[in-house]
Amino acid sequence: MTLRVIAIDGPAGAGKSTVARAVALRVGLPYLDTGAMYRGVAFAVLRDSVDPRNEVEVARVAESISVVVDPNGVSVDGRDVTTNIRGAEVTSVVSVIAAYPPVRARMRAEQRAWIVNHGGGVVEGRDIGTVVFPDALLKIFLTASPHVRAARRVAEVGGDLEDIARSISERDRIDSSRDDSPLRPAEGSITIDSSGRTIDDVVGEIAAAFDAAATGIAAAFDAAATGIAAAFDAAATDTIDG
Ligand code: CDP
């Protein structure tokens, strides 16, 4: 079954969250930020004073906590951590813990269940089109130049441009080189470079691509239904004639 999923993957600062939220509103699908789930796990690891380099301990945390992401924010074990997960501490360890296969397995299962419960969605992350929903109706790889990405992050959260650029490039390196679901464009994805483009412009391009994909599916369905009806008529005629 093709779920009504738009997968938006890409590196930090490419504009994924802003674009994904706006696309979701535009096409009438719910929005899921999977990065917030990994950040929730990183928050719990720090909360429990677990060493982020200890895969076994981190996996135990990921498997035992409850992370809920909804339009109001993110909660971990019932506590609202929407603001905490954006802090520098969580940001500095999230890619380390997100590279562990048991952590990813738990998150993937949660993400698939979320989409089934919601009947589809606009899902933003690093491995959505490649691994979590390879059959998504539309797959986007959203990127931008390193300079633009760092400048955007500084505008969002403040800080020194050089420091932020270094932190982003370190996360890019870990996210792209890990063995389990590395960050890369999915097969059949459309790559969009958002450098120097407005949000509206990018959102418009994605919404148009979604309409085209949905129309293509509807046309294929109509063609199949017409084929089935014709075969049924032929069989019925055979029976009547015979
Ligand atoms: O907001 P930003 O783009 O900086 O990052 P995020 O989307 O909140 O994701 C934080 C981190 O979680 C990423 O750097 C990845 O290490 C990890 N992540 C992942 O591994 N797989 C995903 N589907 C989403 C995020």
Side-chain angles (χ1 to χ4, degrees), residues 8-17 31 33-39 85-86 90-91 93-99 104 107-108 111 123-128 132 149 153 156 167-168 170-172 174-176 178 180-183:
I8 304 184
D9 291 306
K16 289 192 307 296
S17 298
Y31 160 67
D33 174 2
T34 64
M37 300 172 74
Y38 288 95
R39 285 175 178 273
I85 61 163
R86 301 291 158 197
V90 164
T91 302
V93 300
V94 62
S95 290
V96 175
I97 65 99
R104 304 204 68 77
M107 295 300 113
R108 271 198 302 273
Q111 291 153 17
V123 190
E124 171 213 331
R126 298 289 191 288
D127 61 341
I128 308 307
V132 187
R149 294 198 283 122
R153 210 25 74 93
E156 277 166 23
S167 147
I168 286 183
E170 175 60 3
R171 275 202 291 142
D172 283 357
I174 301 175
D175 292 345
S176 314
R178 67 186 175 215
D180 188 339
S181 33
L183 170 66

Side-chain angles (χ1 to χ4, degrees), residues 128-195:
I128 308 307
T130 49
V131 176
V132 187
F133 296 110
D135 295 334
L137 207 50
L138 180 65
K139 296 186 249 183
I140 303 292
F141 190 80
L142 189 62
T143 188
S145 74
H147 178 76
V148 165
R149 294 198 283 122
R152 278 187 190 147
R153 210 25 74 93
V154 171
E156 277 166 23
V157 297
D160 174 69
L161 185 66
E162 290 291 307
D163 288 348
I164 299 276
R166 241 192 318 275
S167 147
I168 286 183
S169 100
E170 175 60 3
R171 275 202 291 142
D172 283 357
R173 189 189 63 72
I174 301 175
D175 292 345
S176 314
S177 63
R178 67 186 175 215
D179 290 335
D180 188 339
S181 33
L183 170 66
R184 58 180 167 75
E187 214 179 296
S189 62
I190 300 171
T191 293
I192 299 178
D193 186 332
S194 68
S195 316

Side-chain angles (χ1 to χ4, degrees), residues 26-52:
R26 177 88 74 100
V27 304
L29 285 172
Y31 160 67
L32 178 62
D33 174 2
T34 64
M37 300 172 74
Y38 288 95
R39 285 175 178 273
V41 176
F43 170 84
V45 165
L46 296 172
R47 175 199 65 187
D48 296 353
S49 304
V50 163
D51 181 352

